[in-house]
Structures are given as structure tokens and as C-alpha cells.
Amino acid sequence: MRRNHALSKIIEGYRSVAIAAGVVVAALFAASVMVLLGRSPQAGIMLPGVVLMAGALVLALLAGGERMIRTRVAFAAKASNDIMASIHRDALTGVATRAHFLAALRNEVYHGSARAVGYLQLDMDNLKVLNDSAGHGAGDAALLHLAATIRDMLPNALVGRLGGDEFGIAVLGHDNRPALKRLGEELLRRLERPVAIAGRPVRLAATIGVALAPLDATDVAELISKADLALYKGKKSGRHMVVAFDPDMLGDERHRRFVERELRAALLLDELELHYQPVFDSDRVIKSHEALIRWRHKVRGIIPPGQFIAIAEESDLIDKLGEWVLRRACLDLPRLGTPVAVNVSPAQLRHADFAPRFAALLTETGTDPRSIIVEITETVPLQVRGIELANVDALRALGVRIAIDDFGAGHASLQYLRGFAFDIIKIDRTYISNLGENRIDAIIVAAICDIARSLPVEVVAEGVETEQQFALLRQAGCTRYQGFLLGRPLPLSELELSRAA
């Protein structure tokens, strides 16, 4: 709209100049006619003066018109530039949009370019937690603060918002990898300084991947891909760090993509199966089973979950796997004859619709919720008003029992005991393995059993492998036992054969 208005002003200016020049020319023509008709000596003397005055007036009008047109053109150009600048800026943070950032980066990074570019790909840590706990306004404030911090520290860098909480930073003429890494670390230190968001001081954190052009890549897509690999490694290693690209990462990425592709095929080709490990009481009577997923690959044989679950958690595969496990366990329940425990990944609990989908599957398969136990690891962040805790509470409301798996392996044990309601504690196997030799482990196990009795909840000891361990655990007050001494994980068909024997 502003641009069209400016152009109409220019056209109007041209029209004004043309009319004025036309009037002058008409006056000059009329004067000439009068001179010719009158043929008086005075008119002959006046004619040159009239002509000179008219010419001067025309020149003055044209000069004024030119100045007016120049002004109008400059106004239109500024309006156009303002509009284009607003189109190229991210509406929230003011940095370049993804499209504009990539276009500008392509002007600097291309095959044959002699100019070095240091590229940092930044992804904020736990922005979703801030959104969930304090609202999206707090998340927006965090993104604004991040953008301002980057501009303050790197005023000459090219900065773009690539996604929700992901930013690209291009430092032109920079090819020193250690120095660029130090630059990223300084940026993280500045973000750590408390800033007031939603009425309380907040420390922000991020993970950064670093890559260089032309040392690591000679086109933009490859440069971003390699910085993203470094960023992924930083996220996997604990977050809140700066990681520079290394060629060895390419091998890890190829393996990850291979496993993800094969796992998708396994879901379609029915290569997955469940093995069930029994859980016993103190009299060695089976009270429940734990469902453990196995992947029977057509070439590589049985693949344990430790080799593919982490990769599945990085994509939508973990939801598909979790649904497959629950459905299979529900269908096997009549043949098992006992309640069954299924492991739930932290990645699954982060979805707001997890509990409703879980309940719908139980209804579909006609499964009594009281016959299902959900095991979650102690490392799952169950925060007050968090999505994870809301899902856990919804499952318990259905009648599903909740077990804390690997209790004592993380750093939130006491917080878990105080923070939410649960039904079963599974003591981590590291405390069981040296029970007869390590006095501290024995004290810890006895303390957990005392706490469990006071709540009251069941206590399951994992990894029971010797009769001595079994005896000491009974003496300490454990109520359930699981391990190779009592029963190994087996497919349902073999489990039924072992019972018959």
C-alpha cells in the first residue's frame, strides 16, 4: 500500500510539470501569433524578450519538477526498502528470517569462494520446560533475550532464526576453530547470567554446534548439516556445551540413519518381539512379568534394546515402538496370567496426549488397567505442573500402577519420594551386585526398604543372581525379586513350555 501511494505521487508530479510546461508553451505560441498579426515595431522588439522569459520559466519549471521527482523516487525507494526489511526480519526476535538468512549465507559460502565463514548453530536447552511452567510469554521473552545477547556480543555477524528455538550465526572472515569455539562458550556464559522473566530470575542455556567454510563444507546445505551433527552430539552428551564438527561424526550419523531406517522396516515386517522376565515374591511365586522388547533382524540376529532405543527416542519411532509394545503385552496378558510391566520412555511422557492414547489402547484391547504396570526411569524430570507428571497422574487415575525403575541410579531419588505418588520401587542393580561385599550398598538397600514400608509401596530388587543376594534382600525387607537366579527373559512360547516342565 505504501509503495503504491508513493508511485502515485511520482505520477502526479510528472503530470504537474507537464501541465506547467504546456501552459508556458501555449503562452509563447500566443505571443508569437500576436507579434506576427500585429506586425508592429514594438512587438518585434518585445518578441525576443518574451521568448527568453518563457524559456527561462520552462527551465525553472523543469528543474523544480526534477527535484520533486527525485524526492518522490527517494521516498518510494525508502518505503520499498522498509517493507522488504520487515519481510526479511523475524517478527519476534528481529533477526533475519530463515529464508533471508540462507540466501545471504549462500552469497558467502559456495564452491570456489575465497572468504572463510565460521558458522555456529545454536539450539536453546529446555525452552519447552520454560513454556510449560511459565507460559509462552516467558518463552518469547527468553528468545528475545537470546537474540539481544547475540547482537550485543557479535554486532557484525549474520544472525537468522532457523526454527522455533534454533538460530544460525555466521561470522564472516573467521576460520579459527578453537577461537570460534571459545566465542560460543563466551556466548553461553553470557546467557547464564540471571535475567528477569515472568517475574523471576532465569538462567538460560543452549547447545552450539560449530562448522567452518570452506574447511568443512563448500556449500550452505553441507555446512549446516555438519554444524547440526556437532550440535546433535552436544545434545546427546548432556547439553549446555559447544561442540566443533569432526569428520568421525559422519560415521556415527550414517550408523544412526541406518538403524532408524531398518527399525522402521522392522515395524512393518514384524521383526519385533517381546520377551517376558518373571518377578517373584519371597516364596518364589511369580507375581508379574516385565515385557522387554527384542529386535530379531534378518541378518544381524537378535539386537538388544540398548542398541536402538536411544536412536528411536530421537525420532517419532519411540511412540510407534511404545504403542507396539503395549498392544502386544495387552494381547499376551491372558496367556501370561499375571500383571505385566511395560517400560515407558521419557520421550513418550513429554507428549500431552500420551495418557489419552494409552487409555484408548487399553479400551480397544479390552485390558483391565489394574493389570498394567508402567515403569519409568528415575531420570524422567517429573516437575510440578509438568506434562510428564500430568501423564503419570492420569495413568494412576485409570488404575495403572507406576513403578520407579533403576531407583538410586540417578540424582533425584529423594525428590521422587517426596514429589509424586507411585506404587513400586525397583532398586537399581548396581546396589544388588555387591550386596554381600559392600556394607554401604547393604545399608542403602535396607534404608530403601524401610522407606517403602512406611509409604507403603512394593520394593523390587533387580539383578538378583546369587542365593546369597536373595537371602540378604529378604532379610532387608524386599517384597519382590527379579534376576537370572530366578528367571531369564523368554519369548511367551518358551515361557509357557518352561511352566509346563
Side-chain angles (χ1 to χ4, degrees):
M1 292 290 290
R2 290 175 60 190
R3 187 175 184 180
N4 291 338
H5 179 69
L7 288 174
S8 67
K9 288 290 187 182
I10 293 173
I11 294 170
E12 183 182 328
Y14 274 119
R15 187 182 297 116
S16 300
V17 172
I19 291 171
V23 169
V24 171
V25 170
L28 178 60
F29 179 75
S32 301
V33 170
M34 289 175 62
V35 170
L36 292 172
L37 291 175
R39 297 181 180 274
S40 65
Q42 291 82 2
I45 294 170
M46 292 174 60
L47 182 58
V50 172
V51 172
L52 287 174
M53 289 177 63
L57 183 57
V58 170
L59 290 175
L61 287 171
L62 290 174
E66 182 189 10
R67 283 194 297 272
M68 182 179 66
I69 291 169
R70 285 179 183 273
T71 302
R72 300 295 188 187
V73 169
F75 174 79
K78 183 178 183 304
S80 176
N81 289 337
D82 289 345
I83 292 171
M84 294 306 294
S86 66
I87 292 173
H88 293 155
R89 281 197 302 267
D90 176 61
L92 174 64
T93 62
V95 303
T97 62
R98 177 184 177 89
H100 183 60
F101 175 77
L102 294 178
L105 195 57
R106 288 189 190 98
N107 291 332
E108 303 292 340
V109 180
Y110 54 88
H111 187 71
S113 174
R115 190 175 191 184
V117 174
Y119 179 69
L120 299 91
Q121 187 138 317
L122 181 149
D123 189 88
M124 291 192 71
D125 296 336
N126 301 318
L127 181 65
K128 187 175 183 298
V129 174
L130 182 61
N131 280 330
D132 292 340
S133 61
H136 287 278
D140 290 348
L143 292 171
L144 277 168
H145 178 68
L146 169 64
T149 304
I150 295 173
R151 281 195 298 263
D152 181 61
M153 181 175 167
L154 301 167
N156 299 319
L158 177 63
V159 184
R161 187 179 179 189
L162 304 181
D165 58 356
E166 192 170 30
F167 291 76
I169 307 167
V171 184
L172 307 182
H174 203 308
D175 63 354
N176 187 318
R177 200 182 306 271
L180 200 63
K181 190 175 178 184
R182 288 194 297 270
L183 201 64
E185 290 167 349
E186 173 61 23
L187 179 58
L188 295 187
R189 279 192 291 271
R190 294 194 185 191
L191 287 175
E192 275 188 304
R193 297 170 186 170
V195 58
I197 293 178
R200 59 189 177 92
V202 175
R203 296 176 186 270
L204 301 180
T207 304
I208 298 175
V210 174
L212 302 176
L215 293 177
D216 297 325
T218 55
D219 66 71
V220 169
E222 186 183 8
L223 181 69
I224 292 178
S225 175
K226 290 182 175 178
D228 195 51
L229 276 177
L231 174 64
Y232 165 75
K233 183 174 181 181
K235 290 282 189 183
K236 191 176 180 181
S237 301
R239 305 187 177 197
H240 191 46
M241 63 181 66
V242 181
V243 179
F245 170 76
D246 185 279
D248 289 343
M249 295 177 186
L250 291 174
D252 296 338
E253 173 65 6
R254 280 193 291 268
H255 173 70
R256 185 175 70 87
R257 289 181 179 175
F258 168 77
V259 171
E260 184 178 336
R261 185 174 62 250
E262 292 285 295
L263 190 53
R264 288 187 189 278
L267 281 164
L268 295 173
L269 299 174
D270 198 28
E271 292 180 353
L272 302 174
E273 58 187 53
L274 289 184
H275 289 193
Y276 294 97
Q277 186 172 24
V279 178
F280 297 80
D281 65 9
S282 297
D283 296 323
R284 304 201 183 197
V285 175
I286 297 176
K287 291 297 182 179
S288 64
H289 288 84
E290 181 180 1
L292 301 167
I293 191 169
R294 297 291 185 265
W295 178 6
R296 191 178 294 277
H297 193 275
K298 56 184 178 295
V299 175
R300 299 165 63 193
I302 290 289
I303 301 176
Q307 295 184 21
F308 62 87
I309 291 295
I311 293 174
E313 287 177 329
E314 295 156 13
S315 68
D316 63 340
L317 278 175
I318 192 61
D319 294 317
K320 293 180 172 62
L321 282 179
E323 182 179 340
W324 184 91
V325 169
L326 180 59
R327 184 183 301 278
R328 183 71 264 164
C330 289
L331 295 175
D332 288 344
L333 262 173
R335 293 169 63 187
L336 283 169
T338 69
V340 64
V342 295
N343 290 276
V344 170
S345 162
Q348 293 173 266
L349 285 174
R350 294 187 193 113
H351 297 303
D353 64 342
F354 172 74
R357 287 189 289 109
F358 195 102
L361 199 151
L362 295 184
T363 302
E364 178 190 333
T365 55
T367 302
D368 184 348
R370 293 171 297 180
S371 63
I372 299 295
I373 301 166
V374 164
E375 296 191 6
I376 59 174
T377 61
E378 188 197 10
T379 54
V380 175
L382 296 177
Q383 300 178 0
V384 177
R385 296 188 301 276
I387 291 175
E388 296 89 351
L389 185 55
N391 277 318
V392 169
D393 288 343
L395 292 179
R396 292 194 83 240
L398 288 173
V400 173
R401 285 183 287 169
I402 304 297
I404 307 174
D405 198 12
D406 303 327
F407 186 80
H411 306 285
S413 302
L414 294 178
Q415 180 183 345
Y416 260 61
L417 294 178
R418 296 175 56 192
F420 77 102
F422 54 93
D423 306 284
I424 301 167
I425 293 175
K426 298 190 74 173
I427 303 175
D428 186 65
R429 65 184 64 248
T430 56
Y431 294 105
I432 309 301
S433 58
N434 297 317
L435 197 57
E437 304 168 4
N438 190 310
R439 179 171 169 269
I440 300 300
D441 286 349
I443 293 173
I444 292 173
V445 169
I448 293 173
C449 292
D450 287 341
I451 293 171
R453 276 193 297 269
S454 67
L455 288 175
V457 297
E458 290 182 5
V459 180
V460 179
E462 296 183 284
V464 182
E465 297 182 355
T466 68
E467 289 291 348
Q468 182 190 26
Q469 291 170 356
F470 183 72
L472 290 172
L473 289 166
R474 285 186 65 181
Q475 183 180 344
C478 283
T479 54
R480 298 287 184 268
Y481 311 86
Q482 182 179 3
F484 287 177
L485 171 70
L486 305 168
R488 293 175 176 270
L490 293 172
L492 182 56
S493 57
E494 294 183 30
L495 197 65
E496 289 175 322
L497 286 174
S498 67
R499 285 179 189 168

